Amino acid sequence: MDIASLAGIILGAVMFVFGVFSNGGFEALKNMVDSASIIITVGGSISGVLAAHKLPDFINGLKGITLTFKEKAEDPAETIKKIIDLSNVARKEGLLALEEAANDIEDDFMKKGVMELVRGIMETSLSCMEERHKKVIAFWEKWAELGPAWGMIGTLIGLINMLKNLEDASSIGPAMSVALVTTLYGSLIANWLCNPTASKLKVNNEREVAIKEMIVEGLLSIQAGENPRVIEEKLKSFLTPQAAGSLGEGDEAAGGEA
């Protein structure tokens, strides 16, 4: 599980509740709750997101929040080691031996790449994966956009009703308070939930795409018959200096140069 996402969501809620509570106790917290405002802001914004997407994309977008809490298992350094192992197999036994070696590979993308070794197919698969990710990200970005907008709609509704009853001065303060609650809800939707979710999904997408691109580069280098040490040095460019250093000086690759 991605602890950062879970901790961020919980900590944000705690900070909000603490901030409100410290300035008025339970009574202040009750002032933040208004059923009509919830219906207008949450219901209105989610209906707008629904209208902006096909139903399958809408459902997948909602499910996308679970992805922010999942820790991706791919380790770039381990992926490079697997590719170097494959390059040593290909160097010693030939490309046909890679099909048997593919049986021990858990990563479906890498396994498919080993079996096919065709740039066009691998790049198309990568492009389709990225397009699916972008649709989910777009869902949360659209909700972040519509949340504050519907919050403002709720505020305008409240202000209109307030101005219709100006003769009752005692009702102006409470009515204004309720009107502003919808703006609060819209801001919370955008800044507590949707924008952080979209940002984390972008981070996950960029990480996964980088690993897949590394796999494509590595497998095509194997197909081209490049030296395992050369392949390793090439793939290290995808890593941070710290991660690249953890791979050592390529001793395993060097063993395949004979």
Side-chain angles (χ1 to χ4, degrees):
M1 176 178 285
D2 188 336
I3 300 299
S5 292
L6 182 60
I9 292 291
I10 294 175
L11 188 60
V14 170
M15 291 298 101
F16 173 76
V17 172
F18 176 77
V20 174
F21 184 83
S22 63
N23 282 291
F26 286 107
E27 192 63 34
L29 284 176
K30 288 195 296 184
N31 292 337
M32 299 297 110
V33 179
D34 182 71
S35 58
S37 297
I38 293 174
I39 293 172
I40 292 172
T41 309
V42 178
S45 61
I46 199 68
S47 66
V49 177
L50 176 59
H53 292 80
K54 296 291 186 180
L55 184 58
D57 294 336
F58 176 84
I59 294 173
N60 288 333
L62 276 177
K63 293 178 179 178
I65 193 171
T66 62
L67 300 176
T68 64
F69 302 114
K70 293 181 179 179
E71 186 66 59
K72 293 294 183 179
E74 298 98 330
D75 182 349
E78 287 299 319
T79 300
I80 290 178
K81 290 179 181 178
K82 290 178 183 178
I83 293 173
I84 298 307
D85 289 341
L86 291 173
S87 71
N88 285 324
V89 170
R91 190 171 179 82
K92 294 175 181 178
E93 304 175 31
L95 289 176
L96 292 178
L98 291 179
E99 294 188 11
E100 183 176 350
N103 294 327
D104 298 325
I105 299 175
E106 297 181 0
D107 186 288
D108 291 335
F109 184 82
M110 184 183 293
K111 180 181 289 188
K112 183 178 180 181
V114 169
M115 300 297 291
E116 296 170 350
L117 287 175
V118 178
R119 177 185 289 273
I121 293 177
M122 287 188 284
E123 290 184 344
T124 298
S125 179
L126 177 59
S127 176
C128 290
M129 181 202 74
E130 190 171 11
E131 188 62 30
R132 291 193 300 271
H133 291 178
K134 287 181 177 179
K135 286 182 179 180
V136 177
I137 294 170
F139 170 92
W140 290 96
E141 289 179 334
K142 176 57 69 174
W143 198 359
E145 174 187 330
L146 293 180
W150 275 90
M152 183 56 66
I153 289 173
T155 297
L156 292 174
I157 292 172
L159 291 176
I160 290 170
N161 290 331
M162 183 189 72
L163 293 173
K164 285 286 187 178
N165 296 284
L166 283 180
E167 64 277 4
D168 184 5
S170 63
S171 68
I172 294 177
M176 187 66 179
S177 176
V178 171
L180 292 177
V181 166
T182 56
T183 298
L184 171 66
Y185 289 163
S187 184
L188 285 174
I189 288 173
N191 299 295
W192 174 65
L193 179 64
C194 295
N195 279 328
T197 298
S199 296
K200 179 53 69 72
L201 291 173
K202 286 180 181 179
V203 169
N204 290 346
N205 175 65
E206 291 169 0
R207 177 182 173 86
E208 188 168 356
V209 168
I211 292 177
K212 296 292 190 290
E213 288 177 342
M214 182 172 65
I215 291 173
V216 171
E217 186 64 35
L219 295 182
L220 293 178
S221 296
I222 292 174
Q223 183 186 42
E226 295 181 10
N227 187 286
R229 181 181 289 277
V230 173
I231 296 175
E232 181 180 14
E233 291 304 317
K234 180 189 296 186
L235 298 184
K236 279 183 178 180
S237 63
F238 286 87
L239 305 180
T240 63
Q242 294 84 353
S246 70
L247 286 174
E249 297 299 323
D251 293 334
E252 291 184 8
E257 293 182 11

